[in-house]
Amino acid sequence: MLTRRSALLAAAMGAVMALPLATDARAQEEPVQIAYLSPSFDISDAWERVYWSMRARLDELGVEHEVLQLAVANAADHAGQLSQVESVIQRGADYVFLGATEYESAIPGLRKLKQAGIPTVVYNFLEPHEDETARAMQYIAFDHYEGGRVAGEWSAEKLGGKGKVAILQGVAGVVSDQRMKGFSDVMEKHPDIEVIIGVHTDFDRVKAYEATENLLAAHPDLDLIYGVSTAVGLGIGQAVKAAGRSDDIYTLGFGGTGDEIQAIEEGWLSASPLRSIDDSGVAVADAFYAHMNGEEVEPVWSGPFVMVDADTDADEVVAHANRYSSKLMGR
């Protein structure tokens, strides 16, 4: 399933920051209809930022558009998302943004979209499906393994190569597994670091909070807890804070979202690998625009990470990462 990742990423990374303005807007008789499907916005503000940055970029390109916005109850509601895909096909759409709940679970919906002839961008996954009948127009994400690796390098340095760490997982599947593996592979280079693999939390903040309470009870000597998403990291940070241990246990999230940055500033989350999230929203809009104009659409787009902690002068990094969405979200 991940056999072609290296070659695809190599091609994509060369153009990560190349986001030029197009010069030939398509003549439109009516607004382009876009269906935006995502997991719940409660997971993190990243989904909302991608939504607004996509729309701002389309405005910048002069594309009149309307967006039907749908979100399932949580990241494990695969059947609910398939039902939403079917409803979008029935209603009609020119383009679909599919924030897939999981890689494999997206296949039935992608087949239906392909059969309906609706160009689709899959968000949060980098590997085009091997089955041509289920392959989307483009796959856009920040490499989950790389984000985990960056978090692992930071953690190993902070611990001085020794200590006891725990990992809390998300929903079983590619996203959680890769974010954990990137981190774990770094830990394996440090034999004096003991790693505890925690439970799946469904990318849910409350479940992460409760799982952290259990971890602290079972392993009071933990030095660091890594959560594989914004929601998981925030749940960890809150539980450690409630236990009065924010000063002696490092806590990590994933994504560097606005809520994470605030938690880091307030001192109850230690760090997070930050993505320039608005870049990915721009990439979605650019893919749609290129297709509208009969231009080639690259199969994969990916962006870099920057590790952010209390010692980071993050204002400039965050301002760039949220340069479109912050104007529309007010934060």
Side-chain angles (χ1 to χ4, degrees):
M1 183 169 59
L2 298 172
T3 54
R4 294 172 294 166
R5 175 182 296 275
S6 297
L8 290 169
L9 285 180
M13 289 299 289
V16 164
M17 300 307 294
L19 303 170
L21 284 173
T23 57
D24 54 338
R26 188 184 74 161
Q28 290 183 254
E29 295 181 357
E30 56 187 39
V32 173
Q33 301 298 311
I34 298 170
Y36 185 98
L37 282 65
S38 72
S40 169
F41 278 8
D42 290 340
I43 294 174
S44 79
D45 70 1
W47 294 102
E48 190 174 358
R49 291 193 183 281
V50 172
Y51 171 81
W52 286 115
S53 56
M54 175 194 75
R55 298 203 65 174
R57 176 61 168 176
L58 288 171
D59 287 341
E60 192 173 62
L61 293 168
V63 177
E64 294 183 32
H65 63 281
E66 295 176 351
V67 181
L68 171 65
Q69 188 177 346
L70 299 171
V72 289
N74 57 62
D77 189 6
H78 310 314
Q81 187 164 82
L82 177 58
S83 178
Q84 289 182 349
V85 168
E86 291 170 341
S87 72
V88 163
I89 294 172
Q90 290 175 356
R91 293 172 62 121
D94 296 310
Y95 294 94
V96 167
F97 169 106
L98 182 61
T101 52
E102 236 311 299
Y103 185 84
E104 297 294 343
S105 71
I107 291 175
L110 286 170
R111 286 199 179 114
K112 290 176 181 290
L113 288 165
K114 198 75 172 278
Q115 290 171 356
I118 302 176
T120 300
V121 167
V122 169
Y123 190 87
N124 215 27
F125 295 94
L126 284 176
E127 181 68 12
H129 289 80
E130 293 183 0
D131 183 353
E132 170 62 29
T133 66
R135 192 175 305 150
M137 176 175 69
Q138 188 177 58
Y139 292 76
I140 292 177
F142 294 84
D143 187 0
H144 304 295
Y145 179 92
E146 175 62 12
R149 187 198 66 77
V150 169
E153 293 287 358
W154 182 94
S155 299
E157 180 180 353
K158 289 296 181 181
L159 294 174
K162 59 181 63 177
K164 188 173 183 178
V165 308
I167 303 171
L168 281 186
Q169 305 177 72
V171 171
V174 173
V175 172
S176 180
D177 290 351
Q178 288 295 310
R179 292 178 182 184
M180 180 172 70
K181 181 170 174 51
F183 186 90
S184 298
D185 282 355
V186 175
M187 296 300 106
E188 288 181 1
K189 299 176 183 178
H190 301 276
D192 292 330
I193 297 180
E194 179 184 356
V195 179
I196 307 297
I197 305 299
V199 299
H200 287 96
T201 63
D202 293 339
F203 294 124
D204 183 272
R205 188 165 175 168
V206 174
K207 291 181 180 180
Y209 184 99
E210 294 170 348
T212 302
E213 288 184 316
N214 293 333
L215 277 174
L216 294 176
H219 305 280
D221 56 341
L222 282 172
D223 298 298
L224 182 147
I225 309 176
Y226 164 57
V228 299
S229 77
T230 291
V232 179
L234 293 175
I236 291 169
Q238 285 181 314
V240 170
K241 177 184 178 181
R245 301 196 59 188
S246 296
D247 290 337
D248 59 273
I249 298 179
Y250 292 110
T251 54
L252 280 76
F254 190 103
T257 62
D259 289 341
E260 289 177 276
I261 298 300
Q262 182 176 344
I264 291 171
E265 292 174 348
E266 293 174 356
W268 54 273
L269 187 71
S270 302
S272 180
L274 179 144
R275 307 163 290 196
S276 185
I277 196 69
D278 282 14
D279 282 355
S280 59
V282 169
V284 174
D286 285 353
F288 292 159
Y289 187 81
H291 184 271
M292 291 173 201
N293 288 283
E295 300 171 3
E296 181 180 357
V297 179
E298 294 295 327
V300 174
W301 181 99
S302 186
F305 288 88
V306 176
M307 200 66 191
V308 175
D309 59 22
D311 295 325
T312 304
D313 184 5
D315 289 349
E316 184 175 347
V317 175
V318 172
H320 174 77
N322 303 336
R323 64 195 183 280
Y324 287 93
S325 59
S326 61
K327 297 175 184 177
L328 297 167
M329 293 170 61
R331 67 182 193 276

